[in-house]
Structures are given as structure tokens and as C-alpha cells.
Amino acid sequence: MSSVKVFMTSVVGFALLVGATAQADAQPASGAPNATTTLNGLQLPPPPQPFGGNIDTLAGDSTQWWPPRVVPPAEAPNVLLIITDDSGWGIPSTFGGVIPHPTMDALAADGLSFTSIHSTSLCSPTRAALITGRNHHNVGFGVISEQSTGYPGYNSIITEDKATVGRILLDNGYNTSWFGKDHNTPAFEASQSGPFDQWPTGMGFEYFYGFVGGDANQWQPNLFRNTTQIYPFDGKPGWNLMTAMADDAIDWITRMHQIDPSKPFFVKFAPGATHAPHHPTKEWVDKISAMHLFDDGWNKLQETIFENQKNMGLFPKDAKITPWPTDYIKNWDQLTDVEKKLFIRQVDVFAAYSAYMDDEIGRVVQALKDIGEYENTLIIYINGDNGTSAEGGMLGTPNEVAYFNGINAIPAEEQMKWYDVWGTEATYNHMAVGWTWAFDTPYPWMKQIASQLGGIRQNMTVTWPAKITDKGGRRDQFLHVIDVVPTILDVAGIVPPQTVDGITQAPMDGKSFAYLFDKANASAAPPRDTQYFEMFGQWGLWQDDWFLATKVNRAPWDAFGAANEDPLNNQVFELYNLKTDPTQTTDIAAENPDKVRDLKETFIREATRYQVFPLDASVGPRVAAPRPNITAGRDEFVYTRPMTGLPQGDSPSILNSSYAITAELTVPEGGAEGMILTSGGRFAGYGFYLLDGKPVFLWNLVDLDRIKWEGKEALTPGKHTLEFDFKYDGLGAGTLAFNNMSGVGRPGTGTLKVDGELVDTRKMEKTIPIILQWDEAFDIGSDTLTGVNDADYKPPFPLTAKLDKLTIKVDRPKLSEADIAKLKAATQKASD
């Protein structure tokens, strides 16, 4: 019988795209079912592998050949990348703080402590830099996504030419996962309609368990597994996300390992701690309170931390710190007894949250030991994505959402009604800024401030028992979070790809610091000599231990004041020599004008290179500024069936506008109750519902006041039309384009009608100007997570009437030419 032979295809072209096979001493024959190969990094994913067997007309006369499975290089470690939230340099005990961090302490003793790694001064920008190895503006995260604007450096979109560490490791044979905080998905792409390419699972992380936005109620979070919202806390009093995410990470790590012990894994572990709300368990609050760490106040706390740091050899004995900023923050002895009592409660809860977090991280580390993978796991534990947060304001707050709406000075006496429930599900709490300043010891300032080390300098530990032999060593070289990805790839033996999905990759901005793992290189030069910093128009430039800084011209708790119109030039410049002045205390700009000029020119060069321009110093107005979402350009929304979980960034916004909400219902025999429509929750939002059969429309004004419109009679069985109409008195959000808040949060009058008959009317003297509670959703037909008024109902409060149709019409104010002229004049006057 004649046959047609198909001979082995040449594999020369493919060989250029793969490296030597793994485990060469026991490598199966080419084409065997268990054959493996490594990639050389040129192209991800690699092209289809050419068939290496031979094919005849009959299987018996042919030779099978299986494409080899891609694996990392033989000694590539597992990676556990931990980054905590809003945690300053002086918080962990590992670096002189008073809050116990035994997990971090132990990792430092078994590895290396790094004292000079830097962030961007804000959370999601730091995280974008961390997962890509590029500067934050270079990957679209000049600010958080909730403040994004339509410029390449600020649109919160990580473009396809900047693949994440998850994608690179995934295509090179790793299992990849992400637990906890995301905040790198654009707020306008967070709904279930997608797209999902900017979600963790779309950026190379095979498994995601966490929350998408910037913060989350730890008792009832807006939680996702991959891209599906889940509610594992329902019916489980005392459930807390910090423990749950550790449980889930341990489960995932264990499953991956027992399925294939030879396959390394990458875990990004990103707790919500210690970002507000501070939600530890009662056990931890009791434990920290019993230690009486803070009874002597924040001035004494700063002194204690600094003395600890000097005793540990972290700073010279003659080192100084910036004097207490009495222009902004009172000394402890100037406070009232009520303030002292409240503030100690606030910080006890904060510290408990931090200690609780470290303990849960310890359980994840123990899981590595339990499966025998601790020795071969690179554990990078970064304390903070920026300095400690001051977003609680001068007095702290029981509700962080109030801060984001410009309310950050609730009197201590009023806050005391939350004293006993501080940190529980009844609060969305934050602490007073005196603690914030102390927790950034020895550096000045805090989160949001990119020109001061308190905002940008972090510390970390790196542990890899199989390779790092300088146990307990310390490294003081200047590093940045952009250096983390190059380091991971370096130790794994993986080359950054030239193309991913056919798209040429931009070079990484970071440099590997793996050479510092060697004790012989303990005093080696840092991996770079220049790094810029910028956030909200305040900026800095580090070069060879010189640091050019703009003087702080906006305190972080002042988000709604007039913005600097020329943040490049309208600055007071400070200059520091960090080699001789490691704590940034002595400004020498006046003595070195040439150096100031040269460093400013370098900043302009770096800013041009990395998409920092145009500079924008506005803060609050950017939260409310228009941006793309699925509601953009629409003023009418129609719904005909229940729907839950639509995030704020993708739902109809009725803030600073007139609007009409019409619900057409069919009430069954026996009457009806339940939620028709709600957006937000316990800490800010609105709800339209039936209570004891009566229609109610309620505005929750950041949990400080609630305005209610209510019908007098329960709806009878049959069809009904309910209408809530609101007439807004202000100019609207358009004033924000001129950095002017006058158009938002203005009064308005609401009317409630049943079947065309007016049943209630009421004027609101104040309205919510900026945001609703952004970890809550827009829900129709029931209420997920927390309710807008606990006194009326408990979620889910399903609607027992039939929803026939729900219509929302929004009439957003439009600025007249005269309005624009006045706003421009006001802007000019403010900048003069």
C-alpha cells in the first residue's frame, strides 16, 4: 500500500523562542506527554509549536508528539508579594513602631530589611507601578481611578504595551493570583457589563478574590471572586474580610501545590488594612487597648518611635525630626478631655487593625511552611502603598465618606455617640491627623504629599530562605516600587517580553535590586540615580541623594480649597541632602540655587518622558468630574426587572442635578413592601422603597442626617405610579472645571406623588456634593450590603410588589455664558 509521509517539521524557528528544557538531568524525550520547556522571553504567548512527530495515513505507522508544557526556569521561586495600605514608616515594630508586627519581625530576622523603598504617595498609583514595573503616570495612574481625567498619564488605563507581572509569569508557567484590594480597574469599567480586560483576571492573574475599588467595609465588602460578586458574610456575624482573604489565599496556595507541586505560584496579597474604614475584630481592639500604647498622646508617641528607631540603629543618635506642625495640628496637651478620650479610641482601633492584619499575613506565611514551600518562596512584604492617611481630618470621623464630601470637622462631642461602636459595622471610621503625623516618624507629612518623605518613603522586608543568607541584614539603598517586578523576573530567570499578544512592550522603568540580596553587595550603589515624584501638583525629584521638593501648599485633609493654577512654577522650592540629612529636616535651597535650577530641569525632563504633564493640583473637584462610563451622555434610564450590584462609577448619577424617578408597580393582595431603588448605603446614599406599604424616598446625608418623604397611606392592591421629583437650585458640577465648588451640594426641593397626587414635599438645605458611598451599589428590587436607614429596614428588603417599569430622568444644569465668565473671573482672582 502506498503512503504519503509527512516528515518532522523543522523546529529551528521555534527554538529561537524557547530556552533550554527544564530539569535537564531528567528531561523526558521531546514530544513526550510530560516534556517541558522554558521561554526566552521574546514573545508572549509563544507561537504555536510545530509538530515534531510524523504522520502517515495510519496511526500505527505514525509517531505521536506532544507540544512541551511551558515551565519557568528550574530554580524559579514561588512569590508572595504583600503590600499593605496607608501605612507609614513608623507603624510596624520592625522599624521602631509601637504596633506589634511579629510576622514582619520574623521575616526581617530570616531575611533582609529595606529602609528606603518609595511609593507614589497615593494608593492605586503605587499599585499600578508595583504590578507593571513602570512609573505611575506611565501606566495611566497619575491619580486614583475615581479622579481620572482624559490624559494618557491620568486616565487610569494600563495600556496593552505594559503587561503586568501577573501576565508575564502566567505565560512563563506560573500559577498567578491576587487577593484583597484591586483599585487598578477603571471605575468606569467595574460593572458586570465589562469589559474585564482591566480586572485582575484580565491582566494575567488567573484567580482574584477581593474588592475592586479603593476601600471596603470589612464586615460587608463589595466582594468578588474573579468577576462574580459574592456574599460569603451573609448570615455569619463577626465575619471579617481580613481573615476571609487569608483563608482564601491559604486554600488557593494549598490547592495549587497539591495539584502540581512542581509548578511555582505567584500571590499578590493586598489587605485593605490600614485604609479606612478601620475594621478589626473586637478581640484585637481589646488586646491593643489593654496595652495602653497611646495614653500619653501623639507627641509622646512620636518621641517614643523616634527613640526606638535610633536605638535600632536605623538613624544616627544625633538625627533630628521636623518640629511638630503646630500651625496645623495641636499639641496633645492643648486638647480637651473629650478629644483625648475619643482620639485614643480612634487610634486603638487603627492599631488593632494593623496588628490584626500582620497576624493574618502570618497565617499565610505559616501555610507556606506547612506545605514545605517556605524555603523556596520569595516573600516581599511592603509596609504601605503611601504614608499614613490624614483623610480623617483634624478630628477623625465616624464616616470617611463625609470627608470625601468636604465634611471633615465633626466635633468630638458629637462623635462620642459612636465611641462604643467605633470600628464596628456601625462606622466607616478614620482617625485624627495627629496620629497620622506620628506614625510617619521620622519623616514629615503623609499620604497624598509627593514632595515629602512621609508621603513617599516606605519600608519592607524580603525573605527567601533558600537564597538569602544574610539573615537579619539591612539595606538602605534608594528603591522604588517600580523595581519590584524587574527583581521578581530577575530571580525567576525570566526575561521581560519584547511583545505580548503581538504588541511591542514599553521598557520597564524599574531596575532589579536582586544583587542586594548578596551580603557582599550590602553597601553597593542603588539601581538608579534619578526618580521623580508627583501627586496633585506637589512634586519632588531625587537624584544621588539630593532631593528637590515643593513646599507643601495644600494639607491632605483640605481637598476642596482653591488649587494652584501653575503647579510647575508657582512653588516654593526646598532642597535637601539626604546623605547628611536623612530625615528631611534642613532646607538648603537658599544656599544652592544652581542645584535647585538643575534639579527642576531634570524633573521637567522626567515629567515629559513619563506622561506627567499636564500638571493638575485639584483634588476634590476631580472626584466629581465627568469621565467615561456606560451612562455618559444619557439623561434617561429605563429598567423593567430587578438588578443589583451596579457600581457607582457605572450607574446613573443624580448628584447636583434635578431628576425625576418614576416607579410603576403592581401591588398584590395583602399589600407590599421592599426596596424599589437604592444607591449607596449606611454611610451615604438614597433609597426609594415601600415601608409598611407606604412609599418612602429617603436621602442619607453621610450618616449625619436623613431627609425623608413619606406617603400617608399604604398602597392598595393593583397598579400604582410613584413619582419622586427633585428640583436642584445650583449651577451643577460644571463649576468644578473652574476649580470652583459653588455649583455642588446646593439646596433643592423634592416632591413625592402617588398616582399623580402630591403626598409630601420637602426642601433639602444641603445635598451630597461629590460621592455616595463608593463601595456600595446601585440596586433595583432589593438592597445589597448595607441599607440607607437601619431604623426602617434590614437588607436585602426585597420588593414584594411587581416592578413593571422604573424610569430615571436627569436634568443636569448647564452653565450659561454669563456663568462661565463669572467663574473664569473668580479663578483668575484666586490665582492672583
Side-chain angles (χ1 to χ4, degrees):
M1 181 179 70
S2 63
S3 63
V4 179
K5 291 280 187 181
V6 181
F7 293 97
M8 183 182 293
T9 305
S10 169
V11 295
V12 173
F14 178 70
L16 293 175
L17 291 164
V18 299
T21 54
Q23 303 169 358
D25 57 338
Q27 175 61 32
S30 175
N34 59 340
T36 61
T37 188
T38 58
L39 305 181
N40 73 358
L42 294 178
Q43 178 180 333
L44 294 182
Q49 303 178 30
F51 181 67
N54 68 281
I55 300 175
D56 207 324
T57 54
L58 299 175
D61 298 324
S62 303
T63 304
Q64 296 187 55
W65 186 90
W66 290 95
R69 177 169 53 90
V70 173
V71 297
E75 295 190 354
N78 308 304
V79 180
L80 172 58
L81 174 59
I82 303 160
I83 184 164
T84 68
D85 205 339
D86 285 6
S87 187
W89 211 94
I91 281 180
S93 53
T94 319
F95 295 89
V98 301
I99 302 176
H101 277 57
T103 302
M104 193 177 213
D105 294 346
L107 291 172
D110 206 20
L112 300 172
S113 298
F114 287 79
T115 65
S116 189
I117 186 168
H118 293 78
S119 66
T120 68
S121 82
L122 201 61
C123 39
S124 56
T126 293
R127 293 160 189 272
L130 177 68
I131 63 173
T132 64
R134 280 96 172 181
N135 284 308
H136 58 302
H137 296 88
N138 206 18
V139 286
F141 271 91
V143 289
I144 59 175
S145 179
E146 293 86 349
Q147 295 172 306
S148 59
T149 53
Y151 301 100
Y154 299 89
N155 60 18
S156 72
I157 297 171
I158 299 175
T159 52
E160 292 86 349
D161 61 335
K162 289 145 188 168
T164 71
V165 64
R167 177 61 195 277
I168 296 169
L169 293 181
L170 176 66
D171 281 13
N172 277 278
Y174 271 76
N175 283 323
T176 58
S177 61
W178 183 333
F179 297 87
K181 180 172 175 173
D182 170 5
H183 214 194
N184 289 132
T185 297
F188 46 84
E189 291 185 0
S191 80
Q192 291 303 289
S193 71
F196 296 110
D197 58 304
Q198 298 276 308
W199 285 58
T201 53
M203 294 192 289
F205 301 89
E206 293 175 294
Y207 181 80
F208 172 59
Y209 177 93
F211 55 97
V212 174
D215 55 16
N217 182 328
Q218 299 293 292
W219 306 108
Q220 294 172 285
N222 192 18
L223 188 63
F224 287 84
R225 176 172 280 118
N226 300 322
T227 59
T228 300
Q229 192 166 9
I230 58 175
Y231 306 91
F233 42 81
D234 281 351
K236 297 178 182 177
W239 184 100
N240 189 288
L241 178 57
M242 189 65 250
T243 295
M245 64 179 279
D247 286 343
D248 210 74
I250 292 167
D251 175 71
W252 184 87
I253 290 169
T254 305
R255 282 189 293 110
M256 294 305 102
H257 181 258
Q258 66 185 21
I259 291 169
D260 184 357
S262 68
K263 189 174 184 179
F265 49 79
F266 172 90
V267 176
K268 183 188 177 192
F269 194 80
T274 50
H275 195 292
H278 306 148
H279 281 169
T281 63
K282 183 179 185 300
E283 171 194 5
W284 278 99
V285 175
D286 292 345
K287 188 180 298 186
I288 293 296
S289 296
M291 297 173 71
H292 297 284
L293 298 173
F294 309 106
D295 289 0
D296 292 330
W298 47 52
N299 300 92
K300 183 62 177 178
L301 175 64
Q302 183 189 47
E303 295 172 10
T304 299
I305 294 173
F306 194 36
E307 192 63 27
N308 291 346
Q309 292 167 343
K310 288 190 287 188
N311 290 339
M312 295 173 69
L314 295 167
F315 298 96
K317 286 292 186 180
D318 61 354
K320 300 178 295 183
I321 54 176
T322 303
W324 191 262
T326 52
D327 288 349
Y328 294 102
I329 307 171
K330 290 180 180 179
N331 285 314
W332 186 255
D333 61 12
Q334 295 176 295
L335 302 177
T336 68
D337 289 343
V338 171
E339 288 173 332
K340 289 178 180 179
K341 181 178 180 180
L342 174 68
F343 296 165
I344 290 172
R345 179 66 171 176
Q346 292 174 355
V347 73
D348 275 350
V349 170
F350 171 86
Y353 194 25
S354 185
Y356 170 39
M357 169 204 70
D358 181 81
D359 188 68
E360 293 296 332
I361 290 171
R363 291 203 302 120
V364 178
V365 173
Q366 182 60 46
L368 298 176
K369 296 177 180 179
D370 293 343
I371 63 173
E373 289 295 327
Y374 173 70
E375 293 288 320
N376 193 40
T377 300
L378 174 67
I379 304 174
I380 301 174
Y381 186 163
I382 304 173
N383 170 55
D385 53 3
N386 41 244
T388 316
S389 171
E391 291 156 3
M394 302 302 293
L395 302 173
T397 180
N399 182 4
E400 186 204 26
V401 184
Y403 161 81
F404 288 108
N405 282 291
I407 303 170
N408 62 357
I410 302 171
E413 291 75 12
E414 184 174 350
Q415 293 191 52
M416 284 299 291
K417 64 185 178 184
W418 287 282
Y419 181 89
D420 292 331
V421 295
W422 203 270
T424 71
E425 67 278 358
T427 62
Y428 213 85
N429 51 305
H430 206 319
M431 64 185 177
V433 300
W435 303 120
T436 304
W437 189 281
F439 281 134
D440 289 334
T441 300
Y443 302 116
W445 290 97
M446 55 206 59
K447 176 183 178 179
Q448 296 190 25
I449 305 299
S451 61
Q452 307 290 315
L453 294 181
I456 59 175
R457 180 157 288 182
Q458 316 300 142
N459 40 42
M460 72 175 176
T461 60
V462 177
T463 309
W464 186 12
K467 295 293 183 181
I468 296 177
T469 60
D470 186 18
K471 309 295 186 183
R474 195 179 97 197
R475 303 292 185 265
D476 299 323
Q477 290 85 351
F478 181 100
L479 303 174
H480 192 280
V481 292
I482 60 175
D483 300 321
V484 171
V485 170
T487 302
I488 292 171
L489 299 182
D490 188 5
V491 301
I494 294 171
V495 178
Q498 294 182 4
T499 65
V500 175
D501 295 331
I503 298 172
T504 300
Q505 294 295 289
M508 290 194 181
D509 305 327
K511 306 291 182 184
S512 172
F513 57 84
Y515 67 96
L516 297 177
F517 296 174
D518 189 339
K519 186 174 184 178
N521 294 328
S523 300
R528 73 164 59 69
D529 62 7
T530 302
Q531 178 64 43
Y532 83 91
F533 298 89
E534 189 278 335
M535 191 62 59
F536 300 129
Q538 298 184 88
W539 52 269
L541 191 285
W542 175 88
Q543 187 169 65
D544 290 330
D545 274 335
W546 289 97
F547 190 58
L548 177 67
T550 58
K551 184 177 181 179
V552 175
N553 51 36
R554 180 195 63 83
W557 53 88
D558 180 17
F560 300 97
N564 185 352
E565 292 295 318
D566 182 7
L568 179 62
N569 301 299
N570 182 28
Q571 300 281 10
V572 174
F573 293 104
E574 301 172 344
L575 180 67
Y576 302 91
N577 183 339
L578 299 182
K579 189 181 297 293
T580 58
D581 176 24
T583 54
Q584 194 184 4
T585 61
T586 307
D587 176 16
I588 55 174
E591 299 92 322
N592 296 273
D594 292 344
K595 193 68 176 176
V596 170
R597 184 192 64 246
D598 292 346
L599 291 176
K600 181 183 177 184
E601 290 175 356
T602 301
F603 172 81
I604 294 172
R605 182 194 70 209
E606 297 292 287
T608 302
R609 178 181 181 186
Y610 294 118
Q611 305 186 150
V612 180
F613 295 131
L615 293 178
D616 184 350
S618 65
V619 183
R622 274 198 270 185
V623 177
R627 54 186 53 88
N629 65 31
I630 56 179
T631 71
R634 296 174 60 190
D635 56 19
E636 183 172 351
F637 306 84
V638 178
Y639 307 92
T640 57
R641 61 180 301 161
M643 175 185 72
T644 60
L646 190 62
Q648 301 296 340
D650 291 296
S651 62
S653 175
I654 60 175
L655 298 184
N656 307 305
S657 301
S658 296
Y659 54 89
I661 301 175
T662 303
E664 300 174 32
L665 308 174
T666 301
V667 176
E669 292 295 330
E673 67 170 8
M675 184 59 66
I676 301 168
L677 166 67
T678 183
S679 192
R682 179 176 295 134
F683 304 103
Y686 64 87
F688 196 8
Y689 49 95
L690 300 181
L691 182 65
D692 297 327
K694 302 174 184 178
V696 172
F697 196 95
L698 179 139
W699 265 107
N700 171 2
L701 301 181
V702 296
D703 201 28
L704 297 177
D705 193 13
R706 284 172 171 80
I707 311 297
K708 180 189 285 190
W709 294 257
E710 187 170 10
K712 305 298 185 294
E713 299 178 356
L715 299 181
T716 58
K719 291 186 176 296
H720 294 279
T721 299
L722 310 181
E723 302 171 74
F724 183 76
D725 186 82
F726 189 81
K727 299 301 183 187
Y728 182 67
D729 295 339
L731 292 176
T735 65
L736 298 175
F738 302 90
N739 196 40
N740 189 302
M741 301 287 293
S742 64
V744 300
R746 306 302 296 168
T749 300
T751 56
L752 178 63
K753 295 180 181 179
V754 176
D755 298 327
E757 181 181 347
L758 179 67
V759 296
D760 202 0
T761 184
R762 190 178 302 273
K763 183 173 183 177
M764 291 178 68
E765 296 299 335
K766 296 179 180 178
T767 57
I768 294 178
I770 304 295
I771 62 164
L772 305 183
Q773 186 180 344
W774 54 21
D775 67 334
E776 292 270 354
F778 176 94
D779 298 328
I780 297 171
S782 64
D783 190 355
T784 56
L785 305 182
T786 65
V788 292
N789 191 21
D790 292 336
D792 280 355
Y793 69 93
K794 301 295 182 187
F797 200 42
L799 179 65
T800 57
K802 180 179 179 294
L803 177 67
D804 298 318
K805 185 179 182 181
L806 177 70
T807 304
I808 302 174
K809 295 182 179 180
V810 186
D811 183 11
R812 298 179 179 87
K814 297 178 178 58
L815 297 177
S816 67
E817 292 297 326
D819 293 330
I820 293 172
K822 290 179 181 178
L823 290 164
K824 286 182 176 179
T827 300
Q828 181 61 47
K829 183 177 180 180
S831 63
D832 288 343

